Amino acid sequence: MAKRAKRFIKNTKTSNKKVLEHKQSETFLLECKDFFRIICDHAPAMLWMCGTDKLCKFVNKSWLRFPGKSFEQELGYGWSQEVHPDDLQHCLDTYTSAFDARKDFRMEQRIKRADGEYRWILAAGTPYYLADGNFAGYIGSCVDITERKELKEVLREVETKYRLFETSHDAIFIADAESGTIINANKKAEDMLGYSREEIIGMHQTQLHPEEEATRYSKIFEEHIQKGTGFSRDLYVRHKNGSKIPVEISASVTSFGNKKIILGIFRDITERKKAEEEIRNLLIQQKAVLEIGQQALASSALSTLFNKTVILVARTLEVEFTKVLELLPDGKRLILRAGIGWEKGLVGQATVDAGKDSQAGYTLLLKEPVIVDDLNTETRFHSPNLLRDHGIVCGISVIIQGKNKPFGVLGAHTKKQRKFTINDIRFLQEVANVLAVAVERNEFIEKLQKSEQRLELAIWGTDLGPWDWNVKTGEIFFSQRWIEMLGYTPNEIEPNIHSWGKLIHPEDIRGAIKNLRSHLRKHTPFYKAEQRLLSKSGEWILVQSRGKVVEWDSNGKPSRIVGT
């Protein structure tokens, strides 16, 4: 009995101890739950939990405060009511796919706050398991990242602008609008001006420009700063080496914080200016060619044309010396027929070699335009005294063609170092072509005049008087000899068919008209008639007229008869 009693007492004590430990354990769990809830409710982050059915079963007070909803409204899928419609599907897809794979997830979506504003929220979740290893659901948090995201966008925008600022093909300057001091510049600005960024920063904006233009440019900037308006102009900037660079400036006045700044974009337009200058020069050159062409048509005197040409060429190419050289009959020398800039007495007298002892001679040998960049280093031909004595450095020369051989050479020269362009060469060659046509025409006129003289002498020798009748208009050209045969002067006989009718003897007129009509109707190969014409002295002179139709109109009718 005593042993039983002892065993009972011992078992009772053990049982009481287990009961006590169990009670203590339950108390601890309750205390832990309360402690967990306290932590969750006082956590700044929005916390949530869901069960194995994916339904939300817990959210903390920070969560509830954000949308301004009750605990019950947020359970299950109630929380999804605040998600932005554009983000909801992505949110659910991310959540369910991670849940099914038992993987952590992170996502960003917009959730409506209690004041109605959508805020960017970073949601994160991770699976949790019980002590026995069984999956129990997900636990996670949500953090408002709107400011962080906006800051990130601002930083990205700043970074983008900085990248554009640095990699821009144009020079960019930023200056304080009040003081005009430059506060920043990009890499292209350094390249354009030859200064480092450190040297540019702190300069006054007027220091970017040539000193002689600084005052005028400053007034332009001040005017637009006062108006608060931007402007775009073609101006010049000054390189560190002192050279001037043409630029197109687009400037605007803007605010950065509480400070007004000028943002200036400078584009190098050197090539554009060159192109504009080239077009302008080309127009001037074409105008000069036209003027020389008009002079060639207006005057048959070559000396007048040559003198006009050398003046226009010198003015157009902006050179001090121009020349027209004519190849002499022996083909060994060229004489200076016309020129500008040469010493007095040389024009009409000076000659140069037609071979390799002159630029002009070498041009004839080469049979194409010759450009000399520096006469002092020229090795293709010997420099003639005519060029050396005048200190000429460079020039161009082209051939003036003749009918069967070159007439001569047209040249332009300068004492300055200069690069002649392809347009300069074309211009000079076009002028030479005009002169060549004028020379050929002049030769033709001279030959024609000689032929007319021979014809006139022949007519005098045969006692013939030519006439030319326009059948359509009735006008007749009576030659000087025809008129003189009758003793008249040109002013005393009108050039028409009626004058002939008045001079012919009445008895001869019918036969003359009969023979004329017979020829006009193609019955005879030519017109022939003997008739008496009244002379100025009153005598009747017997003459023989012969003529032939030389032109017919589109209807086959005679329009012109020529005869003697």
Side-chain angles (χ1 to χ4, degrees):
M1 286 294 290
K3 289 181 179 179
R4 268 185 208 172
K6 287 181 180 179
R7 197 164 38 249
F8 175 77
I9 292 171
K10 183 179 180 182
N11 290 338
T12 300
K13 288 181 177 179
T14 301
S15 178
N16 290 340
K17 182 178 180 182
K18 289 181 177 179
V19 169
L20 180 60
E21 289 176 351
H22 179 72
K23 286 185 176 291
Q24 289 176 342
S25 177
E26 288 181 348
T27 302
F28 178 73
L29 288 174
L30 289 173
E31 289 176 351
C32 285
K33 286 182 180 180
D34 290 340
F35 184 67
F36 173 74
R37 184 175 293 278
I38 290 170
I39 292 175
C40 288
D41 286 342
H42 287 81
M46 297 180 282
L47 305 179
W48 55 270
M49 291 180 64
C50 67
T52 56
D53 55 2
K54 301 178 183 175
L55 298 177
C56 179
K57 64 179 184 179
F58 172 77
V59 291
N60 68 348
K61 288 185 178 179
S62 293
W63 179 292
L64 296 176
R65 280 194 297 270
F66 187 83
K69 298 292 181 69
S70 65
F71 184 82
E72 290 74 17
Q73 287 177 306
E74 296 298 285
L75 297 182
Y77 278 105
W79 56 272
S80 65
Q81 300 300 313
E82 286 84 46
V83 178
H84 194 286
D86 293 344
D87 301 338
L88 180 58
Q89 191 59 51
H90 172 70
C91 174
L92 295 175
D93 290 346
T94 302
Y95 171 67
T96 54
S97 60
F99 196 100
D100 293 340
R102 306 292 191 263
K103 290 183 178 180
D104 295 350
F105 70 85
R106 291 169 64 88
M107 61 180 172
E108 294 180 3
Q109 73 268 342
R110 287 162 291 179
I111 296 179
K112 187 188 292 184
R113 199 167 56 182
D115 60 4
E117 179 186 351
Y118 280 99
R119 306 281 290 178
W120 280 101
I121 302 297
L122 173 62
T126 184
Y128 74 95
Y129 299 85
L130 299 176
D132 56 9
N134 290 325
F135 173 67
Y138 264 71
I139 186 170
S141 65
C142 291
V143 179
D144 189 337
I145 59 168
T146 303
E147 282 77 13
R148 187 196 311 172
K149 196 171 182 67
E150 289 175 350
L151 179 60
K152 189 176 181 180
E153 287 297 321
V154 171
L155 291 174
R156 184 183 293 111
E157 184 179 353
V158 170
E159 183 181 354
T160 301
K161 288 181 178 179
Y162 181 76
R163 191 182 302 113
L164 292 173
F165 178 77
E166 281 301 311
T167 61
S168 173
H169 294 296
D170 299 323
I172 301 177
F173 299 87
I174 300 174
D176 185 300
E178 293 183 6
S179 66
T181 303
I182 297 171
I183 57 179
N184 204 354
N186 67 347
K187 179 67 171 60
K188 192 66 178 181
E190 295 179 283
D191 298 338
M192 178 182 285
L193 299 181
Y195 291 98
S196 67
R197 194 190 309 253
E198 290 71 22
E199 290 176 305
I200 296 173
I201 293 174
M203 282 185 175
H204 192 273
Q205 62 187 16
T206 55
Q207 291 178 269
L208 300 178
H209 306 284
E211 292 181 7
E212 63 273 19
E213 299 286 357
T215 303
R216 184 169 69 89
Y217 288 2
S218 180
K219 290 180 179 179
I220 293 172
F221 292 130
E222 288 175 4
E223 177 184 341
H224 288 282
I225 290 170
Q226 291 174 358
K227 293 180 179 178
T229 59
F231 67 91
S232 179
R233 289 184 180 228
D234 290 354
L235 302 174
Y236 284 90
V237 292
R238 179 177 55 84
H239 191 275
K240 191 174 184 178
N241 62 15
S243 62
K244 294 197 297 184
I245 304 167
V247 293
E248 177 187 16
I249 300 178
S250 296
S252 59
V253 181
T254 185
S255 296
F256 186 78
N258 296 324
K259 180 181 288 187
K260 277 191 175 183
I261 61 170
I262 303 172
L263 177 64
I265 300 175
F266 291 42
R267 175 166 296 176
D268 189 331
I269 56 173
T270 301
E271 293 304 316
R272 193 188 85 188
K273 287 292 184 182
K274 285 181 180 178
E276 290 174 352
E277 183 68 18
E278 186 175 336
I279 292 171
R280 187 161 44 249
N281 289 337
L282 190 59
L283 292 174
I284 292 172
Q285 290 174 358
Q286 292 303 308
K287 182 180 178 182
V289 172
L290 179 62
E291 193 170 341
I292 293 169
Q294 290 173 335
Q295 180 66 38
L297 292 173
S299 173
S300 60
L302 288 180
S303 58
T304 302
L305 176 62
F306 289 162
N307 290 332
K308 180 76 171 180
T309 297
V310 291
I311 293 171
L312 277 174
V313 170
R315 184 191 308 161
T316 303
L317 292 180
E318 297 180 345
V319 294
E320 307 96 298
F321 303 90
T322 53
K323 65 188 182 187
V324 173
L325 296 169
E326 181 181 357
L327 186 64
L328 293 174
D330 62 6
K332 295 180 180 181
R333 309 276 308 168
L334 292 136
I335 186 168
L336 184 62
R337 280 286 304 273
I340 288 292
W342 312 104
E343 289 183 5
K344 188 176 180 180
L346 290 179
V347 175
Q349 298 294 325
T351 62
V352 296
D353 182 69
K356 285 193 173 182
D357 284 336
S358 73
Q359 179 178 342
Y362 181 71
T363 304
L364 292 176
L365 294 174
L366 195 62
K367 297 180 179 180
E368 62 183 38
V370 172
I371 306 172
V372 176
D373 293 326
D374 190 342
L375 197 62
N376 297 318
T377 59
E378 183 56 59
T379 59
R380 294 172 295 175
F381 56 85
H382 301 305
S383 174
N385 292 334
L386 182 65
L387 301 184
R388 282 202 310 268
D389 293 347
H390 288 83
I392 287 171
V393 175
C394 56
I396 50 178
S397 53
V398 297
I399 296 174
I400 303 171
Q401 292 292 348
K403 188 172 183 180
N404 299 315
K405 64 177 183 177
F407 171 81
V409 172
L410 175 64
H413 307 274
T414 177
K415 293 181 178 180
K416 304 171 185 176
Q417 196 68 45
R418 168 172 173 179
K419 288 287 184 181
F420 288 99
T421 68
I422 187 66
N423 286 335
D424 295 336
I425 299 169
R426 287 173 180 166
F427 161 69
L428 200 64
Q429 188 62 69
E430 287 175 1
V431 173
N433 293 343
V434 172
L435 297 184
V437 172
V439 168
E440 187 174 348
R441 189 190 69 168
N442 190 70
E443 291 175 354
F444 175 77
I445 291 173
E446 287 181 354
K447 290 180 180 179
L448 184 61
Q449 287 173 342
K450 289 180 181 179
S451 296
E452 288 177 347
Q453 288 173 355
R454 293 192 189 102
L455 178 61
E456 187 175 347
L457 290 172
I459 291 171
W460 273 97
T462 56
D463 208 24
L464 296 176
W467 50 269
D468 189 337
W469 177 27
N470 186 323
V471 180
K472 295 289 185 182
T473 63
E475 294 179 27
I476 295 182
F477 164 75
F478 297 109
S479 68
Q480 181 79 15
R481 180 55 183 155
W482 193 96
I483 296 171
E484 289 177 353
M485 284 170 59
L486 299 177
Y488 295 100
T489 62
N491 294 331
E492 292 176 310
I493 296 180
E494 294 182 8
N496 56 57
I497 192 67
H498 301 294
S499 296
W500 174 74
K502 291 177 181 178
L503 293 174
I504 193 169
H505 194 283
E507 295 177 359
D508 299 336
I509 191 166
R510 181 175 294 180
I513 292 175
K514 178 182 177 182
N515 292 346
L516 183 60
R517 285 177 177 171
S518 180
H519 175 60
L520 293 177
R521 293 169 181 170
K522 301 181 182 179
H523 294 160
T524 56
F526 53 85
Y527 161 69
K528 181 179 179 182
E530 288 186 356
Q531 54 208 263
R532 289 165 289 179
L533 298 178
L534 183 63
S535 68
K536 185 175 182 179
S537 64
E539 297 180 14
W540 293 99
I541 299 176
L542 181 63
V543 299
Q544 184 183 64
S545 291
R546 292 173 61 90
K548 184 178 179 64
V549 176
V550 294
E551 290 182 11
W552 306 81
D553 63 18
S554 58
N555 297 319
K557 294 183 178 181
S559 59
R560 181 184 176 199
I561 302 177
V562 176
T564 59

